[in-house]
Amino acid sequence: MANSHPDEATPLLENGNGVVVRKPFSTRVADIFKGDGQPSSLVSFKFFFFGSWLNVLLIFVPLAGLAHYLDWDAALRFAFSFVAIMPLASLLGTATDQLSLELGQTLSGLLNASFGNAVEIIVGITALMQGQIRIVQTSLLGSILSNLLLVLGCSFLAGGLRYSESNFQVTAAQASSSLMTLTCITLVIPAAYHSSKSHGGGFGNSTDSAYAHQSAKFLLNSLDTVVDGTDLDGPSESGLRIISRGTAILLLIVYIAYLYFQLKSHAHLYEAAESDEEPEHARMNTVSAGASLFGVTVMTAFCADWLVASIEETAERYSIPKAFIGLILLPIANAAEHVTAVWMALKNKMELTIGICVGSSIQIAAFVVPLLVIVGWITRHDLTLFFADFETIVLFVSVLLVNFLIQDGKSNYMEGLMLVMLYLVIALAFWVS
């Protein structure tokens, strides 16, 4: 007679021998797309389109299309396309987050790594295909600087006004900032190479006085390159291509290693402190989130195309420096991510804030920039890692300041004020360029 009373040897689940049978991978993927236990499509799309007041700005998407195809004034075309990208960037983040909730840690990490900076990728590729190399470079650099200085600064400032001091995981922050420093160095090397070839003709063949003279010319020449842009004419052209393409491949390898470091081998370093908040539940089913992600990506591509097409005429007609448009204005379009970082700081979740700000900068510098260099290589558009000397110096000092401020694992409002101030100084410099 079978024992009807449970004891220590009784299995918790009646499956034969108490062994949990793991479903095959194909079956688990199929279960995800069946949507069992997930919100209906109606509920999903209702949340997607009506879940944020920012979505009111979606009215500018058709307005941007009308302005482009009816050839309205350049300022209207630029403004409508610019505003239209704001809610689309927010919806991209929403669709990515909702899809990530059903995919598990590894797949969701890879998805966020791919679509976390979808707006920058779309705008970059669009500008690259239209031959707007300077817009590609300044918009990418502007995204890095806005995350490192403006968003992180505002987050430190907001958190510091509520809490006298906020703490975060030092090891993870230093690992991220070190990788950011590495990517910064990869931009300094092409600039140094170009300067050496342009003014000295080679390495190691100059006297001390000649070297000092070349160094002075390197700094003075930075003012010229702000106006004229990067110049690939001359003997350094072939070398810059080789350096940039080789470095782009190596950076992508480092980025893949960084993803493994962050998601697998040292994932505990990037986990936020335990909180009493309930875990987030999916508000959209998998099919609806995937379809929304695809549809919004397509719409963003159209708006990016209209935006880039209007930059040249807007800059000339209204005397706005193109470098200022790319470096300062375009990164503002991804405002939703910026608000999230500040909101996390107000909740004293500095690990999440730094993950958004520094992590997003790493994605751009170690993934988006190399990716666009390779795309330009394939499509025969000469995009290199040689940025204007002035821009390279600006990036270097910005990364240096961020490294100094986060190395102690603490933040306060004064550190945030310093970061914001540096960003405003840079914006002023590019406005008068």
Side-chain angles (χ1 to χ4, degrees):
M1 181 175 179
N3 184 15
S4 59
H5 300 284
D7 54 25
E8 294 179 353
T10 304
L12 296 177
L13 298 176
E14 296 294 337
N15 58 356
N17 296 319
V19 179
V20 177
V21 179
R22 186 175 178 83
K23 294 182 180 180
F25 177 76
S26 58
T27 304
R28 284 183 283 138
V29 172
D31 289 342
I32 291 176
F33 284 96
K34 284 179 182 177
D36 294 338
Q38 298 181 5
S40 66
S41 297
L42 180 62
V43 172
S44 299
F45 286 116
K46 182 179 179 180
F47 165 76
F48 187 67
F49 289 108
F50 300 101
S52 171
W53 285 103
L54 187 63
N55 294 343
V56 172
L57 298 179
L58 287 172
I59 188 64
F60 284 94
V61 174
L63 286 176
L66 285 174
H68 175 77
Y69 291 111
L70 297 180
D71 198 23
W72 292 357
D73 182 76
L76 289 177
R77 286 185 277 129
F78 178 84
F80 287 167
S81 302
F82 179 80
V83 176
I85 287 180
M86 289 185 178
L88 291 175
S90 177
L91 290 177
L92 276 173
T94 300
T96 302
D97 290 341
Q98 292 298 313
L99 199 57
S100 298
L101 292 175
E102 300 293 339
L103 297 180
Q105 180 183 4
T106 302
L107 289 178
S108 64
L110 293 175
L111 184 68
N112 281 301
S114 302
F115 284 90
N117 293 97
V119 173
E120 287 83 357
I121 295 175
I122 294 170
V123 172
I125 292 179
T126 302
L128 185 63
M129 294 301 102
Q130 296 186 19
Q132 298 275 10
I133 303 298
R134 290 291 294 146
I135 292 297
V136 177
Q137 293 182 324
T138 54
S139 64
L140 293 176
L141 180 63
S143 296
I144 295 173
L145 293 178
S146 67
N147 280 301
L148 286 181
L149 299 180
L150 180 63
V151 184
L152 187 60
C154 289
S155 300
F156 281 0
L157 187 60
L161 293 176
R162 173 168 288 191
Y163 310 97
S164 61
E165 193 173 71
S166 299
N167 300 311
F168 49 86
Q169 233 287 348
V170 183
T171 307
Q174 288 183 340
S176 299
S177 63
S178 297
L179 180 55
M180 192 65 236
T181 304
L182 172 64
T183 58
C184 178
I185 293 173
T186 61
L187 298 182
V188 172
I189 292 175
Y193 172 84
H194 179 267
S195 178
S196 175
K197 284 292 186 181
S198 299
H199 305 305
F203 298 103
N205 58 353
S206 302
T207 63
D208 292 340
S209 60
Y211 176 77
H213 178 66
Q214 290 169 24
S215 300
K217 290 185 69 177
F218 173 81
L219 294 176
L220 292 174
N221 186 56
S222 65
L223 299 177
D224 296 331
T225 52
V226 170
V227 178
D228 300 331
T230 55
D231 180 15
L232 291 183
D233 294 333
S236 64
E237 178 180 2
S238 176
L240 280 174
R241 289 199 189 103
I242 295 173
I243 292 174
S244 299
R245 293 165 182 174
T247 303
I249 295 173
L250 294 174
L251 276 177
L252 289 176
I253 294 174
V254 172
Y255 182 68
I256 293 173
Y258 170 72
L259 289 180
Y260 181 80
F261 179 86
Q262 186 182 39
L263 299 175
K264 281 293 185 182
S265 66
H266 292 71
H268 61 281
L269 298 178
Y270 294 87
E271 293 176 355
E274 294 291 334
S275 64
D276 297 330
E277 296 183 8
E278 295 183 0
E280 184 179 0
H281 298 287
R283 304 288 298 275
M284 300 179 67
N285 62 57
T286 306
V287 175
S288 298
S292 300
L293 183 62
F294 174 78
V296 174
T297 301
V298 172
M299 288 307 304
T300 305
F302 276 103
C303 288
D305 183 66
W306 302 333
L307 176 67
V308 173
S310 65
I311 288 177
E312 187 80 35
E313 186 178 350
T314 302
E316 292 180 0
R317 178 173 296 184
Y318 296 95
S319 300
I320 304 175
K322 289 177 65 176
F324 183 84
I325 293 176
L327 199 83
I328 305 300
L329 294 183
L330 293 186
I332 298 176
N334 203 6
E337 184 180 60
H338 303 171
V339 173
T340 302
V342 177
W343 183 249
M344 290 298 105
L346 288 172
K347 293 183 176 181
N348 204 25
K349 296 182 177 180
M350 278 300 168
E351 282 90 356
L352 294 177
T353 294
I354 293 178
I356 292 172
C357 299
V358 181
S360 181
S361 298
I362 290 174
Q363 283 185 359
I364 296 170
F367 174 65
V368 179
V369 173
L371 177 66
L372 291 180
V373 170
I374 293 175
V375 170
W377 184 8
I378 295 172
T379 60
R380 298 187 178 183
H381 292 83
D382 286 334
L383 177 64
T384 69
L385 295 179
F386 169 50
F387 286 50
D389 296 338
F390 181 73
E391 296 164 8
T392 305
I393 295 171
V394 163
L395 176 62
F396 183 80
V397 297
S398 300
V399 173
L400 193 65
L401 179 60
V402 172
N403 281 339
F404 284 148
L405 294 183
I406 69 174
Q407 64 184 356
D408 62 349
K410 300 176 182 179
S411 68
N412 52 61
Y413 74 88
M414 193 63 200
E415 293 181 347
L417 186 61
M418 287 187 282
L419 291 171
V420 174
M421 188 208 70
L422 178 58
Y423 185 79
L424 295 177
V425 170
I426 293 172
L428 179 62
F430 278 92
W431 173 256
V432 300
S433 67

